[in-house]
Amino acid sequence: MYMDIPLEKIITQDNVRQDFNKDALKGLAQSIINVGLLQPVIVSDNGDETYTLLVGHRRFEAARLAEVKAIRAIVFEDSESKLALQLIENLQRENLNPIEEALAYKKILEEEGLTQEELAAKLGRPQPNIANTLRLLKLPPFIQTMLVNGSIKQGHGKVLLQLKDPEKQQQWADKAFQDK
């Protein structure tokens, strides 16, 4: 069901994507001002006249930036995993960085009690890809940061996992960054 919902009635939480391009967000806000929101967000009804935003965090933030009072939304009532829905939306629209993707997989596996095989089937991805992405969370924080900011690629992270010494991992990560 479609509804126009006041922005202050929408709760944002558990967004898979942690980082938004500020310039792109401003551009989207200007587009909303000029022509309106072309695609509704997806929310779930909390049963207390509030809604939780499931899909469309960028559109929601841009609408807030554009200072609109209400946003067109689809109220989600399906039994399908809400976390998986958010992840699928983000994977289809714009690439998550490898650590955001790994954290999202981990959260869905823990909260939904799925196996990696079940998650892979739900997302339409090979199970080894899920497993390899999750392994990136075993890297030291400084290398995870390099993956987040794009200093090194996911393939570099997978190779660095083979090294057990964090100093060696740092040396090779720095070398991969310099050779880029």
Side-chain angles (χ1 to χ4, degrees):
M1 151 176 60
Y2 285 94
M3 293 177 62
D4 287 329
I5 301 174
L7 290 180
E8 70 268 6
K9 299 255 183 199
I10 298 175
I11 300 165
T12 60
Q13 61 186 23
D14 296 332
N15 185 19
V16 170
R17 182 170 306 283
Q18 302 298 315
D19 188 31
F20 295 105
N21 179 307
K22 302 292 186 233
D23 291 332
L25 204 57
K26 288 178 187 173
L28 183 54
Q30 189 60 50
S31 172
I32 291 171
I33 291 168
N34 293 341
V35 296
L37 185 67
L38 299 179
Q39 185 176 9
V41 298
I42 299 176
V43 299
S44 64
D45 189 341
N46 295 330
D48 60 0
E49 298 185 21
T50 66
Y51 301 84
T52 298
L53 184 64
L54 300 175
V55 174
H57 285 78
R58 283 183 62 248
R59 284 171 271 158
F60 177 82
E61 292 300 330
R64 191 178 351 211
L65 192 59
E67 298 180 353
V68 299
K69 301 293 180 226
I71 191 168
R72 176 65 98 189
I74 298 170
V75 180
F76 182 74
E77 297 174 7
D78 198 310
S79 63
E80 193 69 26
S81 164
K82 294 174 185 176
L83 289 171
L85 181 69
Q86 289 177 336
L87 180 58
I88 291 167
E89 168 76 3
N90 279 290
L91 289 172
Q92 288 175 348
R93 293 209 172 269
E94 189 177 323
N95 289 338
L96 296 171
N97 71 57
I99 299 302
E100 286 175 329
E101 189 173 338
L103 289 170
Y105 290 162
K106 181 180 178 199
K107 184 172 186 167
I108 291 171
L109 291 170
E110 290 172 355
E111 291 188 13
E112 301 291 327
L114 300 175
T115 65
Q116 287 184 15
E117 292 79 11
E118 291 168 334
L119 179 59
K122 187 174 282 215
L123 298 177
R125 297 200 169 218
Q127 182 277 329
N129 289 14
I130 304 261
N132 285 331
T133 302
L134 284 165
R135 288 179 54 234
L136 296 174
L137 297 176
K138 295 179 180 176
L139 288 167
F142 55 86
I143 295 184
Q144 288 186 30
T145 299
M146 293 179 84
L147 286 163
V148 167
N149 66 28
S151 299
I152 60 172
K153 302 282 185 208
Q154 185 169 350
H156 295 123
K158 289 177 187 176
V159 171
L160 292 171
L161 281 164
Q162 296 174 24
L163 302 171
K164 301 303 176 204
D165 179 10
E167 266 187 43
K168 292 260 190 239
Q169 288 175 326
Q170 179 70 54
Q171 289 171 353
W172 284 100
D174 289 341
K175 180 162 177 37
F177 172 69
Q178 292 168 0
D179 290 347
K180 244 171 93 170

